[in-house]
Amino acid sequence: MKQEVTLGIDIGGTTTQFGLVNRSGNVLFDATVDTASFETADEYLEYLYQKIEEKTATLKSELIEIKAVGIGAPNGNYYKGIIDCAPNLKWGKTRVEFVKKFQKYFNVPMALTNDANAAALGEMIFGYGKEGYEIDGQMVPIKDFIMITLGTGLGSGIIVDGRMVYGHDGFAGEMGHIIAVENGRRCGCSRKGCLEAYASAPGLKRTVFELIAENPFRESNLKMYNYERLESKNIYEEALKGDEIALEAFARTGEILGRKLADAAAVTTPKAFFLFGGLAKSGNLILDPTRKAFYERLLNIYQKGNIIIDISKLFKEGKNIAVMGAAALAWDEYEKSQQNATI
Amino acid sequence: MKQEVTLGIDIGGTTTQFGLVNRSGNVLFDATVDTASFETADEYLEYLYQKIEEKTATLKSELIEIKAVGIGAPNGNYYKGIIDCAPNLKWGKTRVEFVKKFQKYFNVPMALTNDANAAALGEMIFGYGKEGYEIDGQMVPIKDFIMITLGTGLGSGIIVDGRMVYGHDGFAGEMGHIIAVENGRRCGCSRKGCLEAYASAPGLKRTVFELIAENPFRESNLKMYNYERLESKNIYEEALKGDEIALEAFARTGEILGRKLADAAAVTTPKAFFLFGGLAKSGNLILDPTRKAFYERLLNIYQKGNIIIDISKLFKEGKNIAVMGAAALAWDEYEKSQQNATI
């Protein structure tokens, strides 16, 4: 009997990752190819297809059946199957009808969304949504949660009652652009005070610079870095050594994040917020102040401690969350197609 | 053939409304009875049941079949079927197992939630969710929207893809308690700066007092009112006459509301926000500044004008939204029970 798998593809500005993932979440293989060196989407897609074929051929491919394809991409729109003007994709700065084009190569159910949404589905189907989160000694599958990626920006994917919230237009979950501070920092979206201008890797860097400006009389190795060279990893390392500015930068970042998660809890009231992405690697340095501000701010009808803030299970375990997320999107789409077929 | 109806019950602190509503949204009758004069939930429920029986008996009751019961109640929890410590219900200040108790009287599918959630289901099943909203000359049923009640507080009910968002604990949609102003006005929930301390009937009153305090040299009839006597209706009437303070109070209220709706749009990205409740009667006085602030604040990926802010259809038409909402909850529950029966 053939092993049923889905193909998960995660498109980043520089590289694309893809892999085959079975229903249990085992990644049969994953691989990384170039995204940036193509002028047109058609050239990129032809190349991507060839690379997928090459890699699949190295498996005993007669034993593999690809049931569906899922794609995570910047500005990916689930309803339309398009990449809608993604500024960091050389061939994707205009509107690319990705699913339509790619279905020439794979005639199976296919879906596309943004990377945070795909990761949320990955956590739903392979992570805490499936395996369960330990609550009072019981493993409880979490079916209402918000997945937050803390990287170069802040992205979010919202799961309600086991289902992805795409919003009316396919662009739900832009929680990085909730206003966190009135007339605050300039954001890349051209507005001011957005959450991602604070709670993200560049946001943490900006907070370090703010803290140095506020009080340069404190000792800190971080004063040796210029803005271009400073990375969140440096701040993390200094914080571990007890650097005051680094510690306070994490505290301020978590405080702002925790407050806004408390506001979001008053909207969909998830059971959990799961963090992943570069900044989530700092673990308790970001979790502790986030939780503190969150529980301080949470409306009293939501019992304290009843809403979880933690690192994503897939991310904790070092899984390829990008590929597994895209593959989970494919499994979700496959199951929808099966349900529709039986109606 | 018997006419199939549901029984909708809306429990307020002073009075309870109930009525029978058919699948098309026709209200066969509605009636109002006392809530406040009972010491225990059991006494209240016995009385309520008798009143329902009396009213139903006046219909040709052999032609009526009650398929399900829906209840809208303060602090109503859908998952548990309980009223969870409602401060304004004399017999409901502790935990009342409402559905369990009431099923002694009606052995049909029964569900309970708060009034804003029930109203959202009413709009979904009988209002713009069914009849459609006119967009570019087409009537488009709206399946992703947030219902906002502006009354003594601000309540919300969230519909995603045609389904109610109850949250992990049954208490989703407390958008009145999103923090609108850091260290702002004291809220009844004991925190500071909650949205409902601004965008509600008492919030509008507080804004009038704030404006008078800021600049008492402006002429305004509102300076003749003490706090106890002033009602939002007075502010509305003065605004219609061109009173500067009244107009500015509406403008500030709408500005704060519009900003927070823009933040909420970055979470579930609804197609529409529909307002109802006492303050919504002021129509464009509240809609115009809300829309202005909303579109100014909205993230640029959400096309301007693509998200609607309007008064609820049921509310515009003067329908009994409380009873119709509770009846819609009952229809929703009835359909779920039918689906489960066929699986």
Side-chain angles (χ1 to χ4, degrees):
Chain A
M1 196 179 144
K2 284 187 182 180
Q3 180 166 201
E4 299 187 339
V5 295
T6 60
L7 169 62
I9 302 170
D10 176 71
I11 302 174
T14 314
T15 58
T16 296
Q17 294 187 77
F18 62 87
L20 295 180
V21 182
N22 72 12
R23 192 62 189 78
S24 308
N26 292 323
V27 180
L28 275 63
F29 74 82
D30 52 13
T32 302
V33 297
D34 193 40
T35 307
S37 61
F38 301 92
E39 295 297 323
T40 68
D42 290 325
E43 288 170 61
Y44 165 76
L45 285 173
E46 177 64 31
Y47 167 81
L48 177 63
Y49 172 69
Q50 282 172 13
K51 288 291 169 189
I52 292 165
E53 283 290 286
E54 278 173 28
K55 285 296 292 186
T56 312
T58 65
L59 298 169
K60 290 174 184 166
S61 63
E62 71 274 24
L63 298 179
I64 296 291
E65 187 179 358
I66 295 177
K67 303 299 284 183
V69 177
I71 304 120
N75 291 21
N77 188 301
Y78 174 77
Y79 291 123
K80 297 179 182 168
I82 63 168
I83 295 177
D84 202 4
C85 312
N88 63 339
L89 291 183
K90 201 172 173 186
W91 45 263
K93 292 191 205 309
T94 56
R95 185 190 173 92
V96 176
E97 293 198 320
F98 197 95
V99 167
K100 199 175 156 191
K101 286 175 186 288
F102 207 51
Q103 265 173 336
K104 287 178 205 158
Y105 302 104
F106 294 96
N107 187 23
V108 293
M110 191 176 291
L112 178 150
T113 190
N114 70 44
D115 51 347
N117 284 353
L121 278 167
E123 194 69 28
M124 178 66 212
I125 289 180
F126 303 127
Y128 284 129
K130 184 192 171 204
E131 303 291 334
Y133 190 93
E134 192 178 332
I135 299 172
D136 302 331
Q138 302 270 335
M139 296 306 283
V140 181
I142 309 292
K143 304 287 186 194
D144 287 275
F145 66 87
I146 297 183
M147 192 86 163
I148 304 273
T149 168
L150 300 170
T152 52
L154 186 154
S156 59
I158 301 163
I159 303 283
V160 169
D161 204 12
R163 294 151 53 110
M164 188 77 224
V165 176
Y166 289 108
H168 85 93
D169 60 355
F171 285 133
E174 288 290 345
M175 286 174 52
H177 299 283
I178 285 175
I179 304 296
V181 177
E182 276 301 315
N183 285 311
R185 296 176 181 171
R186 179 65 66 186
C187 177
C189 76
S190 85
R191 302 179 312 159
K192 281 182 171 181
C194 289
L195 181 56
E196 81 170 24
Y198 300 83
S200 64
L204 182 70
K205 249 171 77 164
R206 291 167 84 169
T207 301
V208 165
F209 268 61
E210 192 174 79
L211 287 166
I212 292 171
E214 279 175 22
N215 185 353
F217 309 107
R218 293 192 285 189
E219 277 187 33
S220 170
N221 286 337
L222 294 173
K223 290 192 285 185
M224 309 294 284
Y225 290 84
N226 67 39
Y227 190 80
E228 295 298 337
R229 213 188 111 210
L230 182 63
E231 290 181 21
S232 54
K233 194 171 150 250
N234 307 125
I235 307 168
Y236 170 66
E237 284 163 359
E238 293 302 328
L240 289 183
K241 290 186 225 156
D243 184 284
E244 267 183 45
I245 284 182
L247 287 167
E248 198 171 331
F250 275 106
R252 281 200 187 178
T253 303
E255 187 180 354
I256 288 180
L257 179 59
R259 285 179 182 184
K260 291 298 126 183
L261 297 187
D263 280 352
V267 184
T268 64
T269 317
K271 179 66 189 169
F273 293 91
F274 295 127
L275 313 184
F276 73 109
L279 201 55
K281 287 183 189 150
S282 51
N284 287 336
L285 279 169
I286 187 73
L287 281 175
D288 288 345
T290 303
R291 286 175 178 148
K292 182 169 179 282
F294 179 80
Y295 294 124
E296 275 173 12
R297 274 300 184 93
L298 197 62
L299 182 62
N300 52 17
I301 66 162
Y302 305 123
Q303 282 186 318
K304 302 289 174 200
N306 209 2
I307 300 181
I308 299 156
I309 297 183
D310 206 344
I311 306 296
S312 134
K313 180 174 166 71
L314 298 185
F315 192 74
K316 259 183 202 169
E317 293 173 352
K319 298 281 176 67
N320 187 335
I321 199 165
V323 164
M324 286 179 77
L329 171 68
W331 279 117
D332 197 51
E333 199 63 17
Y334 174 69
E335 272 149 34
K336 282 183 191 168
S337 73
Q338 294 296 100
Q339 280 164 18
N340 290 337
T342 59
I343 286 169
Chain B
M1 196 180 143
K2 285 186 182 180
Q3 181 166 200
E4 300 187 338
V5 296
T6 60
L7 169 62
I9 301 169
D10 177 71
I11 302 173
T14 314
T15 59
T16 296
Q17 294 186 76
F18 61 88
L20 296 181
V21 181
N22 73 12
R23 193 61 190 79
S24 308
N26 292 323
V27 181
L28 276 63
F29 74 81
D30 52 13
T32 302
V33 297
D34 192 42
T35 307
S37 61
F38 302 91
E39 293 298 323
T40 69
D42 289 326
E43 289 170 63
Y44 165 76
L45 285 173
E46 178 62 31
Y47 167 81
L48 177 62
Y49 172 68
Q50 282 172 13
K51 288 291 170 188
I52 292 165
E53 282 290 286
E54 277 172 28
K55 286 296 291 188
T56 312
T58 64
L59 296 170
K60 289 172 184 169
S61 64
E62 72 273 24
L63 298 178
I64 295 291
E65 186 179 359
I66 295 177
K67 304 299 282 184
V69 177
I71 304 119
N75 291 21
N77 189 299
Y78 175 78
Y79 291 123
K80 297 178 181 169
I82 63 169
I83 294 178
D84 202 5
C85 310
N88 63 340
L89 291 183
K90 201 172 173 184
W91 46 262
K93 292 193 202 311
T94 57
R95 183 190 174 94
V96 177
E97 292 197 321
F98 197 96
V99 166
K100 199 175 155 190
K101 286 176 186 288
F102 207 52
Q103 264 172 338
K104 287 179 203 157
Y105 301 106
F106 293 95
N107 186 24
V108 292
M110 191 176 291
L112 179 150
T113 190
N114 69 44
D115 52 348
N117 284 353
L121 279 168
E123 194 68 30
M124 179 64 214
I125 290 180
F126 303 128
Y128 284 128
K130 184 192 172 205
E131 302 292 334
Y133 189 95
E134 191 178 334
I135 299 173
D136 301 331
Q138 302 271 336
M139 296 308 284
V140 182
I142 309 292
K143 304 288 186 193
D144 287 273
F145 65 87
I146 297 184
M147 192 86 163
I148 306 272
T149 166
L150 299 171
T152 53
L154 184 153
S156 59
I158 301 162
I159 303 283
V160 169
D161 205 11
R163 294 154 50 110
M164 187 78 224
V165 176
Y166 288 109
H168 85 95
D169 60 356
F171 284 133
E174 289 290 345
M175 286 174 51
H177 298 283
I178 286 176
I179 303 296
V181 177
E182 275 303 312
N183 285 311
R185 294 176 181 171
R186 178 66 65 186
C187 179
C189 76
S190 85
R191 304 179 310 160
K192 281 181 171 181
C194 289
L195 181 57
E196 80 169 23
Y198 300 84
S200 64
L204 182 70
K205 248 170 79 167
R206 292 167 83 169
T207 301
V208 164
F209 269 61
E210 191 175 79
L211 288 166
I212 292 172
E214 278 175 24
N215 184 353
F217 309 107
R218 293 193 287 189
E219 277 188 34
S220 171
N221 286 336
L222 294 173
K223 290 192 286 183
M224 310 293 284
Y225 289 84
N226 67 40
Y227 190 82
E228 295 298 335
R229 213 188 114 210
L230 182 63
E231 290 181 23
S232 53
K233 192 170 152 252
N234 307 125
I235 307 168
Y236 170 67
E237 284 163 0
E238 293 303 328
L240 290 184
K241 292 185 226 156
D243 184 283
E244 267 183 45
I245 284 183
L247 287 167
E248 197 171 331
F250 276 105
R252 281 201 188 177
T253 303
E255 187 179 356
I256 288 181
L257 179 59
R259 285 179 182 182
K260 291 298 125 183
L261 297 188
D263 281 351
V267 184
T268 63
T269 316
K271 178 67 188 166
F273 294 91
F274 295 128
L275 313 183
F276 73 109
L279 201 54
K281 286 183 189 150
S282 51
N284 287 335
L285 278 169
I286 187 73
L287 282 175
D288 287 345
T290 303
R291 287 175 178 148
K292 182 168 178 282
F294 178 79
Y295 294 122
E296 273 173 14
R297 273 300 183 94
L298 196 63
L299 182 63
N300 54 15
I301 66 162
Y302 305 123
Q303 283 186 318
K304 303 288 174 200
N306 209 1
I307 301 182
I308 297 154
I309 297 183
D310 205 345
I311 306 297
S312 133
K313 180 174 166 71
L314 299 185
F315 192 74
K316 259 184 204 169
E317 293 172 351
K319 297 280 175 69
N320 188 333
I321 199 165
V323 165
M324 286 180 77
L329 171 68
W331 279 117
D332 197 50
E333 199 65 15
Y334 174 68
E335 272 149 34
K336 282 183 192 168
S337 73
Q338 294 296 100
Q339 280 164 18
N340 290 338
T342 59
I343 286 169

